[in-house]
């Protein structure tokens, strides 16, 4: 397939964003670069971008089907996602259903403790300041979002959590936590952007509690790509697999 791919607009840690012939659409290339620890640990892992694009496309489609506005427009071929162009809000919106990761390093929670209702945490997406945790007053003072924006972000995030958690649990995956990002479309509406993949979520096998996400790379363990492939295999249905001729 001929991709509608023009000039490079932005290069992130794991994705490149290209202009297309359409002024309000961009083409996102999912790269194989994998990073951890504030970008200090870096590697290239063959097929990571391929699996992440398939996983993210599927999860965004599920959210679209549930009535959530997202930037997802389609998967022209594995590795690339066509997206609505957004003006991104520099917030990392983290939702936590089970205590894991940095939360355990910073606060006296028990490992595996569940949160009902889930915890929503917002970090400042800013490399220079190392993504510090924010509160509403700091977000307002930095003019990252308004009170109304925060209300929409919180409500949408809780809905996203519920939809994805139900979908994943039905397929034998626990969903301890995940990070999402929002942007504004050309009319100023808040829309879900970025990606939802094992790079940005924790996925655990609900039977064995095996880790199936980037934590394997953070911990220096083997089987990272095998875990990403397993997540893709679990969440894609036969129709998806047939369409892309996937034989895993
Ligand atoms: N996360 C992310 N990007 C970041 C920070 C966190 O995608 O810059 C995701 C991470 O993959 C996990 C969740 O947000 O699913 C919570 O991460 P945590 O704060 O526990 O930090 P970590 O343990 O990853 O350092």
């Amino acid at each position: 397939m001929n991709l509608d791919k023009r000039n490079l607009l932005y290069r992130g840690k794991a994705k490149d964003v290209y202009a297309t012939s359409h002024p309000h659409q961009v083409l996102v290339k999912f790269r194989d670069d994998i990073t951890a620890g504030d970008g200090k640990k870096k590697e290239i892992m063959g097929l990571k971008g391929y699996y992440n694009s398939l996983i993210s496309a599927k999860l965004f489609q599920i959210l679209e089907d549930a009535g959530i506005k997202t930037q997802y427009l389609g998967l022209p071929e594995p590795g690339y996602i066509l997206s609505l162009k957004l003006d991104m809000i520099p917030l990392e919106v983290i939702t936590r259903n089970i205590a894991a990761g940095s939360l355990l390093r910073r606060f006296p929670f028990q490992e595996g403790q569940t949160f009902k209702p889930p915890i929503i945490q917002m970090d400042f997406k800013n490399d220079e300041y190392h993504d510090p945790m924010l509160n509403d007053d700091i977000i307002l003072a930095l003019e990252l979002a308004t009170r109304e924006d925060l209300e929409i972000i919180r409500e949408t995030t809780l809905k996203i959590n519920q939809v994805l958690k139900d979908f994943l649990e039905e397929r034998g995956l626990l969903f301890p936590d995940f990070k999402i990002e929002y942007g504004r479309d050309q009319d100023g509406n808040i829309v879900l952007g970025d990606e939802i993949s094992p790079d940005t979520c924790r996925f655990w096998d609900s039977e064995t509690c095996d880790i199936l996400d980037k934590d394997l790379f953070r911990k220096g363990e083997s089987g990272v790509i095998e875990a990403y492939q397993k997540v893709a295999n679990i969440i894609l249905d036969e129709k998806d697999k047939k369409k892309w001729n996937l034989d895993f």
Side-chain angles (χ1 to χ4, degrees):
M1 175 185 277
N2 271 340
L3 287 168
D4 181 8
K5 183 174 169 188
R6 298 208 169 168
N7 52 306
L8 180 69
L9 297 174
Y10 171 81
R11 188 171 163 87
K13 289 198 192 86
K15 298 190 294 298
D16 292 333
V17 180
Y18 292 91
T20 67
S21 58
H22 192 298
H24 301 306
Q25 296 182 4
V26 290
L27 187 70
V28 181
K29 157 88 178 149
F30 284 67
R31 302 201 318 268
D32 290 336
D33 303 64
I34 184 161
T35 66
D38 218 1
K40 281 187 208 91
K41 191 173 150 107
K42 265 190 218 171
E43 249 177 68
I44 292 179
M45 221 161 252
L47 290 178
K48 193 209 65 155
Y50 176 90
Y51 292 127
N52 271 3
S53 66
L54 288 165
I55 294 165
S56 199
K58 180 72 185 180
L59 297 178
F60 269 76
Q61 186 61 61
I62 284 156
L63 294 173
E64 281 282 331
D65 294 347
I68 288 158
K69 268 186 275 176
T70 84
Q71 73 172 163
Y72 178 72
L73 296 172
L75 180 83
E77 68 176 49
Y80 289 91
I81 289 185
L82 185 67
S83 297
L84 198 65
K85 192 173 183 178
L86 298 181
D87 186 13
M88 295 304 290
I89 302 170
L91 287 177
E92 300 200 329
V93 183
I94 296 170
T95 306
R96 299 179 183 276
N97 295 303
I98 306 176
S102 71
L103 199 70
L104 294 175
R105 294 194 292 275
R106 294 197 215 174
F107 302 100
F109 290 115
Q110 299 292 315
E111 192 165 6
Q113 181 177 345
T114 57
F115 301 118
K116 285 183 187 154
I119 291 176
I120 294 185
Q121 170 192 336
M122 299 201 196
D123 291 356
F124 187 24
K125 188 179 165 87
N126 186 307
D127 285 341
E128 194 186 337
Y129 288 87
H130 308 287
D131 303 345
M133 194 188 289
L134 298 166
N135 70 21
D136 285 7
D137 285 354
I138 299 175
I139 294 174
L140 296 175
L142 284 171
E143 298 182 356
L144 301 177
T146 64
R147 249 186 226 293
E148 296 72 49
D149 292 340
L150 285 178
E151 190 93 357
I152 295 171
I153 288 173
R154 230 179 275 284
E155 214 175 282
T156 310
T157 301
L158 286 173
K159 186 165 176 199
I160 290 169
N161 182 48
Q162 198 58 55
V163 171
L164 294 182
K165 194 164 164 287
D166 289 349
F167 174 84
L168 294 165
E169 283 178 358
E170 272 169 30
R171 288 159 180 78
L173 290 177
L174 292 177
F175 196 33
D177 56 38
F178 64 104
K179 184 268 301 177
I180 48 179
E181 296 177 26
Y182 291 88
R184 294 187 178 87
D185 67 12
Q186 53 163 338
D187 300 321
N189 299 311
I190 296 204
V191 175
L192 178 70
D194 197 49
E195 68 178 289
I196 305 179
S197 75
D199 272 7
T200 60
C201 303
R202 286 195 163 88
F203 297 119
W204 296 347
D205 183 307
S206 46
E207 296 250 304
T208 60
C209 275
D210 283 350
I211 294 170
L212 298 172
D213 56 62
K214 195 161 91 169
D215 260 352
L216 293 169
F217 175 70
R218 291 190 190 98
K219 293 170 192 238
E221 288 177 20
S222 59
V224 180
I225 280 303
E226 290 77 5
Y228 282 45
Q229 188 196 68
K230 186 166 178 186
V231 172
N233 196 21
I234 289 170
I235 72 167
L236 297 177
D237 59 28
E238 286 314 311
K239 218 171 99 214
D240 304 317
K241 290 179 188 169
K242 217 167 167 184
K243 180 168 180 195
W244 299 114
N245 234 337
L246 306 174
D247 57 359
F248 52 79

